[in-house]
Amino acid sequence: MELIASFSVDHTKIVPGIFTSRVDTLGDYKVTTYDIRMTKPNTEPAVDVAAMHTLEHIIATFLRNEPDWKDQIVYWGPMGCLTGCYLIMKGDRTPKEIHDLVLRAYKSVADADEVPGSEPVNCGNNLMHNLPMAKWYAARFAKYLEENADNEAIFVYPKSERLVTDDGRQFFDS
Ligand SMILES: [Zn+2]
């Protein structure tokens, strides 16, 4: 079985931040998948699952209503490992170019007084939400993004040796 692209990033060296996971070409268009990493993998506790579910709802709602950016958003959702989220956007902007958007998205969580779309008709697990915890994680990550706005390390995956298979083939980071 081939190792898929995102698994070849050295997760032991990733710090929280905004990274380009992969850029795909679809016909005449480019689509970029960003790794919005909220916690340091395998080092600190991952995000609480109910809080992450709430962040998914609130930030998706923010991104899909943001006047200047909503037409650029393809997808927003949590990673299975609960250490961050994937944001898929049209185009191939650098992570730095979406720093302000991501920062405002996380800051918007503080203003939420309910979880949008959390009725049974809209959500597959509508009891699994935690708004106070979501606010805590969002505030912590927003503060980190603000304090590290000029820190290149939050925009570029840490360099790591490429994986080479027994027969000499290389796996490439996305
Ligand atoms: Zn849901």
Side-chain angles (χ1 to χ4, degrees):
M1 190 175 70
E2 281 194 38
L3 207 61
I4 66 169
S6 74
F7 289 174
S8 61
V9 174
D10 186 344
H11 282 70
T12 67
K13 298 194 177 79
I14 294 177
V15 296
I18 303 169
F19 309 101
T20 298
S21 177
R22 57 184 294 141
V23 180
D24 289 288
T25 302
L26 301 175
D28 295 335
Y29 300 96
K30 285 210 161 49
V31 173
T32 303
T33 303
Y34 299 96
D35 171 336
I36 312 296
R37 192 68 64 152
M38 296 174 61
T39 67
K40 187 163 169 46
N42 306 309
T43 302
E44 60 179 321
V47 178
D48 169 79
V49 65
M52 183 64 106
H53 185 198
T54 298
L55 289 175
E56 178 195 20
H57 278 237
I58 295 174
I59 294 180
T61 303
F62 174 89
L63 293 170
R64 296 196 183 281
N65 286 277
E66 212 288 331
D68 296 330
W69 291 89
K70 62 183 179 185
D71 294 338
Q72 303 298 310
I73 307 299
V74 176
Y75 171 82
W76 164 264
M79 296 175 182
C81 61
L82 299 173
T83 67
C85 296
Y86 284 117
L87 171 60
I88 304 179
M89 293 179 65
K90 298 175 189 172
D92 59 350
R93 297 168 187 84
T94 64
K96 220 170 211 174
E97 288 176 279
I98 65 163
H99 175 270
D100 178 66
L101 175 68
V102 174
L103 177 59
R104 287 188 293 112
Y106 275 87
K107 280 186 164 179
S108 78
V109 178
D111 301 329
D113 44 28
E114 61 176 10
V115 183
S118 61
E119 295 300 314
V121 68
N122 309 120
C123 175
N125 194 353
N126 80 301
L127 297 179
M128 194 186 71
H129 282 287
N130 191 331
L131 182 57
M133 282 287 277
K135 290 187 179 192
W136 185 86
Y137 284 107
R140 185 180 75 152
F141 189 53
K143 183 167 180 275
Y144 174 88
L145 287 178
E146 258 179 341
E147 289 175 353
N148 287 278
D150 297 321
N151 179 0
E152 291 299 319
I154 74 160
F155 298 117
V156 182
Y157 275 138
K159 300 261 186 301
S160 62
E161 296 286 316
R162 293 208 186 280
L163 221 59
V164 180
T165 62
D166 290 344
D167 57 358
R169 289 180 305 157
Q170 292 190 22
F171 291 111
F172 287 89
D173 296 347
S174 52

